[in-house]
Amino acid sequence: MQPLLIQNTLTGEKEAFKPLHAPHVGMYVCGPTVYSNVHLGNVRTFLTFDIVFRYLTFIGYQVRYVRNITDVGHLTDDGDQGEDKVAKKARLENLEPMEVVQRYTNDFHDVMRVFNILPPSIEPSATGHIVEQIEMIKAILDRGYAYESQGSVYFDVRKFAADYPYGELSGRKIDELISATRALDGQDEKRDGLDFALWKKADETHLMHWPSPWSEGFPGWHLECSVMSTKYLGERFDIHGGGMDLKFPHHECEIAQNVGANGEARPVNYWMHGNMLTVNGRKMAKSEGNGFTPEELITGNHQLLERGYSPMVVRFFMLGGHYGSTLDFSNEALQAAEKGYDRMMQAVAGLAGLTPSDAPGEVDIDAWRRRCFDAMNDDFNTPKLIATLFEGVKWANSAKAGQLALDAAQCALMQRTFSEFAFHVMGLDGEGMPDTAAAGGDNALTPQLLDLLVQLRSDAKTSKDWGTADAIRNALSELGITIQDSKDGSTWNIE
RNA sequence: GGUCCGAUGGCCGAGUGGCUAGGCUCAGCUCUGCAAAAGCUGCUACAGCGGUUCGAAUCCGCUUCGGACCUCCA
């Protein structure tokens, strides 16, 4: 097994990854709240953990990857006046709440598919686990870390903090939090401003509600993740992921709930947080109005976008930065990524048709391959991996130009390495490659027709009929097909 | 206000004490019927000021600027 290091946000250290029950790994990632379309920032987080999932699987772990769908329970405001986001949307759009949920769940799945983000092993929904959530509230009540108040149940943070560490993950201190919550009034149900809801009593206008021992109501904001991670991964599991902005209060509350319910002191061994996608240095968020949807990105139909970009280019762009750093979006950066991506795909395609040298190879492909592993083993460092792969791109191109010797074994190992790291681990789908581009076209005859045209042009070149040769090249160019000449003949490429 | 993080060449973006990624852009060259592609070469940076060290982008301190979280947020 590869010696993998993971930046653990719980400890702040980069630690050697040791699963509780190797080769099995349990991973939980906070999924989307399905009350609106996902934007590109959301996509980045799910991409981050897609890479984690893919790489762990690639190096031989059997991963149970749980990613939830939040379809109830997030309040729009703090305090008692809060309204469920799903219910609010339903009211605004005049829909059944579950209709809203279904619509945006479908949208989410579509987006994930477009970006080649793999589905998780289990995708549980909050509304499907109301019974379990009620059970966990009972357990927390039984252990004395929650109290009922007018039909609602709140987590007693101070009581909990007296027995267990609270704020460990986010580096918060209880006393500092107190002063920060001074502005929140009108919360007379709570004993303390720090307390958070486990169960909320629903008023008459609330659309989504369930019976419980305390009231007809709905579960609190953070409870579902505690419940579903425990149910499918156990009271203690390996990796919990999510966006940086969920660290506090969401993940802190999750830990408190888990510990409060069963006393297991360390429910999660490795906490991982993906950083934000920014636009002009600011976090992309719905409330900022600077977010765009994947569809807008692809079509280019948004004021921030000069034109559209393909999903794989966007994927490649995002992997060009480390998940733990903020990544700034710009048209310039996207266009640079697009060129780099195309160049890599071309080189990989060229590798397949390369004639190996009889002479022994001149570069150390084994060492290069090892450095690919090293990059990923260093906390999933995809930018480093990409840089390493580009060294291979250069060699492949040099070999094709007859300037570098690569023997048969080396060619094979390079192809295998690109296949594994570029396509398998990074999940690029090779859409820019001639074969697949043509296969994805409308007509299976396309490659043959193009081969024919290229052959005609080559014949014209041989007879020095430059007019015909250039006419064919120009005509194809207008159709978005480029012709590349080399010593071994000409090749075509769509787009 | 509190907590935390960041500041790298024209742009993006890795890199935690000496070996000084990578992509894009730009200039020159090679190849080419021309072009494109590709290859080669060049442009060699670490916000500022101090300090530690034989040696710092990398460690420490201060300053300036930016960001995230503290309220739903990937």
Side-chain angles (χ1 to χ4, degrees):
Chain A
M1 205 64 83
Q2 296 290 323
L4 174 64
L5 295 175
I6 293 181
Q7 180 69 34
N8 190 348
T9 42
L10 181 65
T11 59
E13 305 282 328
K14 212 187 258 187
E15 301 172 354
F17 179 58
K18 295 194 193 74
L20 290 166
H21 309 289
H24 299 279
V25 172
M27 174 162 86
Y28 188 91
V29 172
C30 291
T33 303
V34 282
Y35 64 96
S36 66
N37 294 303
V38 293
H39 64 240
L40 207 59
N42 306 75
V43 171
R44 187 186 183 201
T45 296
F46 300 125
L47 171 61
T48 292
F49 294 102
D50 186 49
I51 297 297
V52 173
F53 180 42
R54 284 169 179 271
Y55 188 64
L56 289 173
T57 304
F58 174 60
I59 61 178
Y61 289 112
Q62 292 170 43
V63 185
R64 178 180 289 169
Y65 174 21
V66 180
R67 189 185 64 207
N68 65 299
I69 294 278
T70 297
D71 51 1
V72 69
H74 279 206
L75 302 175
T76 51
D77 313 307
D78 188 81
D80 295 347
Q81 286 73 39
E83 186 177 16
D84 189 293
K85 277 184 173 170
V86 172
K88 182 182 182 188
K89 189 80 175 183
R91 201 190 315 281
L92 288 174
E93 299 191 0
N94 233 341
L95 298 167
E96 270 295 317
M98 286 313 283
E99 206 173 348
V100 174
V101 165
Q102 189 67 53
R103 174 193 290 182
Y104 294 112
T105 299
N106 291 346
D107 171 74
F108 172 64
H109 286 154
D110 290 345
V111 170
M112 292 299 101
R113 209 172 299 116
V114 163
F115 284 100
N116 205 22
I117 292 169
L118 297 173
S121 321
I122 301 175
E123 189 172 55
S125 68
T127 54
H129 296 75
I130 299 294
V131 172
E132 290 87 343
Q133 294 188 68
I134 290 171
E135 290 306 308
M136 184 172 268
I137 295 172
K138 283 184 188 165
I140 296 171
L141 280 167
D142 286 348
R143 299 192 70 239
Y145 298 116
Y147 56 89
E148 187 188 345
S149 177
Q150 299 172 46
S152 292
V153 181
Y154 293 94
F155 192 93
D156 191 334
V157 173
R158 282 202 173 275
K159 180 98 184 290
F160 176 80
D163 298 343
Y164 299 97
Y166 177 83
E168 205 173 18
L169 178 69
S170 56
R172 296 297 200 282
K173 293 184 180 62
I174 291 271
D175 293 331
E176 290 167 357
L177 287 169
I178 291 292
S179 57
T181 54
R182 71 207 179 288
L184 304 177
D185 51 11
Q187 297 191 70
D188 37 324
E189 285 184 6
K190 291 187 190 177
R191 289 180 191 167
D192 193 301
L194 292 175
D195 296 347
F196 56 91
L198 299 174
W199 187 263
K200 292 285 289 181
K201 182 180 180 181
D203 62 33
E204 316 77 51
T205 61
H206 207 92
L207 297 176
M208 299 178 96
H209 48 83
W210 294 264
S212 80
W214 314 284
S215 65
E216 183 78 12
F218 55 95
W221 346 335
H222 314 297
L223 193 60
E224 56 176 298
C225 289
S226 288
V227 163
M228 296 190 286
S229 62
T230 304
K231 174 161 181 174
Y232 298 111
L233 299 173
E235 291 183 351
R236 205 169 166 205
F237 58 97
D238 299 300
I239 299 173
H240 189 126
M244 202 78 99
D245 47 359
L246 294 182
K247 212 166 166 184
F248 189 89
H250 183 62
H251 290 155
E252 203 66 72
C253 294
E254 246 187 275
I255 294 174
Q257 288 167 158
N258 279 322
V259 177
N262 60 43
E264 169 60 57
R266 205 192 197 201
V268 176
N269 272 346
Y270 303 89
W271 282 89
M272 293 180 68
H273 288 95
N275 216 323
M276 300 294 107
L277 182 69
T278 59
V279 179
N280 296 325
R282 303 223 166 236
K283 174 184 174 184
M284 181 180 283
K286 277 184 195 99
S287 53
E288 294 273 346
N290 63 355
F292 38 79
T293 64
E295 194 191 332
E296 288 166 337
L297 182 75
I298 292 161
T299 60
N301 186 24
H302 190 281
Q303 57 172 3
L304 285 169
L305 299 166
E306 289 171 10
R307 59 178 175 84
Y309 304 94
S310 86
M312 279 311 110
V313 165
V314 175
R315 189 171 169 117
F316 187 78
F317 161 70
M318 287 185 175
L319 295 178
H322 190 255
Y323 76 86
S325 306
T326 56
L327 178 68
D328 198 52
F329 171 90
S330 71
N331 283 280
E332 220 181 345
L334 258 292
Q335 282 161 28
E338 186 174 68
K339 291 205 175 185
Y341 174 72
D342 287 344
R343 198 162 83 88
M344 181 178 284
M345 291 304 121
Q346 287 299 318
V348 173
L351 205 49
L354 191 64
T355 309
S357 67
D358 295 326
E362 300 175 65
V363 285
D364 191 342
I365 302 299
D366 289 302
W368 171 71
R369 178 180 169 78
R370 216 172 305 123
R371 283 187 287 124
C372 290
F373 279 101
D374 291 344
M376 288 304 288
N377 288 336
D378 186 10
D379 194 29
F380 309 96
N381 196 325
T382 51
K384 207 191 264 181
L385 173 62
I386 289 173
T388 305
L389 288 177
F390 267 110
E391 291 180 42
V393 165
K394 188 184 280 191
W395 293 334
N397 286 331
S398 292
K400 202 179 177 192
Q403 295 174 16
L404 179 77
L406 287 176
D407 61 44
Q410 292 188 320
C411 285
L413 188 59
M414 280 190 79
Q415 285 195 66
R416 182 180 160 203
T417 301
F418 272 112
S419 168
E420 289 172 339
F421 282 93
F423 300 135
H424 225 94
V425 172
M426 288 205 290
L428 304 172
D429 68 5
E431 65 175 11
M433 297 171 68
D435 297 353
T436 50
D442 295 336
N443 197 319
L445 280 175
T446 302
Q448 295 174 51
L449 292 171
L450 284 169
D451 286 344
L452 181 65
L453 283 167
V454 168
Q455 185 57 50
L456 286 171
R457 176 169 171 275
S458 295
D459 293 344
K461 280 178 68 182
T462 305
S463 52
K464 297 194 190 296
D465 180 1
W466 310 128
T468 302
D470 290 349
I472 293 174
R473 183 173 66 194
N474 293 339
L476 287 176
S477 174
E478 297 210 353
L479 296 171
I481 295 159
T482 53
I483 287 193
Q484 289 158 12
D485 295 338
S486 75
K487 282 175 181 159
D488 304 329
S490 304
T491 55
W492 50 267
N493 180 45
I494 297 179
E495 261 187 340

